[in-house]
Amino acid sequence: MRLKNLIILFIMMLSVASLSAQTLAEKYQDKKGFTTVYISGAMFRSFPAANVSDVNFTSMMAGIESFIVVTTDKQEQRKELAADIEKLRKDKSYELLMKINDDSSKVDFYLKKNNKDIIKELIMIADSKGDCSLIQLNGSFTMKNIEELVDGNK
Amino acid sequence: MNLTEIKILLDRFYDGKSSLKEERALAEFFSSEDVPSDMTDDKEIFLSLYSSVEKISVPADLKSTLSDLIDECAASGKKKNSGLKMYIRNHIHFIRNYSVAASVIILFCIGLNILNAKSSGPRETFTDPQEAYMEAEKILALVSGNLKKGMAGMELTEMNIQKVKSVLGDNKIIE
């Protein structure tokens, strides 16, 4: 009996490990009906320095470990992505930063912090009638970095 | 039986090699009155030893007692062996359980390694940093725009709250 419990525990551990080992990008990268973008931290750090744009993410760049975008406009695929988004919403390690509801879409921002100041993940979930998108920024950044991203190159 | 023969038998007796027949012959000789004077010591020694040998009686049931004892010892030996067998069997059961658990752990580790080897991380969408930059910029502009929209909404809400507060404040003053 004890052995049976032990085996069940290990099977559970294996399934949890296999799930956690797979990132969103890995899961959706080769799936039909999804558009994915994955940019690693190394790629961010190799960006041309001379580029000037309206978006100011230079202060964030050093801290970015990965940048993932998953989007779909197919009804069937939406359900799968929505299920993952729902899991994320229920995950208590994420805190809701803001919700923006307008006529055409619903946008939610979630944060995952490792301590009071350091943000480990910034997630944007956009759900409109046409498509569903998830943007995930992983790394180490602060609220000041996010404010700079909002303010842009003024 | 002459004296020389008697002396040979006596030597055999002292050496413990004499047969019952020889001992009886010696006993007969020493019990007679024709024992030479130089053998009186031998007579005393022989008769004292021979009489004590004769006194020891072998019990009639010695054979069966011994056989019972041997059986008993064999049985207790078997019991001990079965106890040992039980002990080994219990330990084998214990070892088997833990070896299964250890196998599961090993399989788990192997599985995890295979998974890790397979999931060597997601592939880069862009190989050209310029292209990646342009895409990141486009998406981050979208993120920034939505954050701006949300913050503007928050500012508007804050302004409305301030308005409500000031209206409530005015009302208080009117009261």
Side-chain angles (χ1 to χ4, degrees):
Chain A
M1 191 65 187
R2 217 185 303 163
L3 185 72
K4 200 177 158 187
N5 291 342
L6 209 65
I7 292 169
I8 292 167
L9 179 77
F10 279 113
I11 290 168
M12 280 166 72
M13 277 170 71
L14 190 66
S15 55
V16 168
S18 66
L19 281 174
S20 61
Q22 200 179 36
T23 63
L24 278 170
E26 280 175 282
K27 185 180 175 183
Y28 292 107
Q29 215 158 36
D30 296 319
K31 277 199 173 171
K32 209 178 164 188
F34 292 98
T35 306
T36 57
V37 172
Y38 173 77
I39 302 171
S40 68
M43 181 64 94
F44 261 90
R45 283 180 280 283
S46 69
F47 281 173
N51 276 307
V52 178
S53 71
D54 294 337
V55 192
N56 180 10
F57 59 93
T58 40
S59 62
M60 273 183 118
M61 248 154 63
I64 292 175
E65 281 166 18
S66 66
F67 179 73
I68 300 159
V69 182
V70 183
T71 181
T72 184
D73 54 2
K74 307 274 189 300
Q75 274 305 307
E76 199 57 39
Q77 278 77 5
R78 267 179 82 110
K79 283 179 195 167
E80 196 180 344
L81 187 58
D84 274 331
I85 289 170
E86 200 49 40
K87 268 186 219 164
L88 200 141
R89 285 188 209 273
K90 282 179 183 168
D91 188 337
K92 291 209 167 93
S93 60
Y94 290 97
E95 58 179 91
L96 182 69
L97 179 67
M98 61 174 79
K99 266 180 176 285
I100 306 136
N101 289 340
D102 59 29
D103 297 337
S104 59
S105 64
K106 285 179 183 175
V107 179
D108 296 346
F109 280 94
Y110 285 89
L111 288 180
K112 191 187 227 178
K113 290 178 182 176
N114 74 339
N115 60 39
K116 279 180 182 174
D117 299 319
I118 306 298
I119 297 160
K120 299 302 287 177
E121 270 181 55
L122 172 68
I123 289 177
M124 186 185 109
I125 299 161
D127 197 1
S128 67
K129 279 173 190 167
D131 52 32
C132 181
S133 308
L134 187 143
I135 300 168
Q136 187 184 36
L137 259 169
N138 296 304
S140 298
F141 20 84
T142 59
M143 274 311 281
K144 196 171 179 288
N145 296 145
I146 293 174
E147 279 166 24
E148 281 171 4
L149 180 72
V150 176
D151 291 343
N153 287 316
K154 283 178 181 173
Chain B
M1 206 175 274
N2 59 39
L3 269 173
T4 323
E5 281 173 332
I6 290 292
K7 279 184 180 169
I8 290 165
L9 287 179
L10 198 61
D11 285 341
R12 283 175 61 79
F13 178 77
Y14 286 143
D15 290 340
K17 289 174 184 172
S18 57
S19 67
L20 279 170
K21 197 181 166 186
E22 287 167 340
E23 281 168 20
R24 256 186 243 121
L26 282 172
E28 209 174 295
F29 171 75
F30 285 119
S31 303
S32 69
E33 287 174 4
D34 302 331
V35 179
S37 57
D38 62 319
M39 288 182 82
T40 45
D41 291 341
D42 290 320
K43 183 187 173 180
E44 264 178 52
I45 293 165
F46 175 80
L47 286 175
S48 68
L49 287 171
Y50 186 70
S51 62
S52 66
V53 168
E54 270 205 323
K55 273 176 199 166
I56 298 166
S57 58
V58 178
D61 60 341
L62 181 70
K63 195 181 171 185
S64 63
T65 312
L66 278 173
S67 133
D68 286 349
L69 262 171
I70 290 164
D71 288 347
E72 214 172 281
C73 285
S76 73
K78 268 185 189 172
K79 266 187 191 172
K80 270 185 189 172
N81 275 344
S82 67
L84 187 71
K85 272 181 190 169
M86 277 287 283
Y87 178 79
I88 291 168
R89 199 179 297 147
N90 285 342
H91 273 71
I92 284 172
H93 188 66
F94 177 80
I95 290 163
R96 197 176 53 196
N97 282 356
Y98 276 85
S99 61
V100 170
S103 309
V104 173
I105 295 170
I106 291 165
L107 281 173
F108 172 74
C109 293
I110 292 169
L112 208 64
N113 274 333
I114 291 168
L115 271 172
N116 284 340
K118 271 188 181 176
S119 62
S120 54
R123 292 184 313 278
E124 287 279 359
T125 309
F126 305 99
T127 46
D128 179 16
Q130 184 65 42
E131 265 184 79
Y133 177 86
M134 283 162 74
E135 189 66 25
E137 189 187 36
K138 204 168 77 185
I139 298 161
L140 286 170
L142 180 75
V143 174
S144 169
N146 278 310
L147 281 168
K148 214 176 275 182
K149 207 192 278 183
M151 282 178 178
M154 275 158 65
E155 274 172 23
L156 190 70
T157 312
E158 210 169 301
M159 275 168 64
N160 285 335
I161 290 167
Q162 286 304 321
K163 272 183 193 172
V164 171
K165 271 185 182 173
S166 65
V167 168
L168 284 173
D170 290 346
N171 285 346
K172 271 183 188 171
I173 292 162
I174 291 163
E175 279 167 11

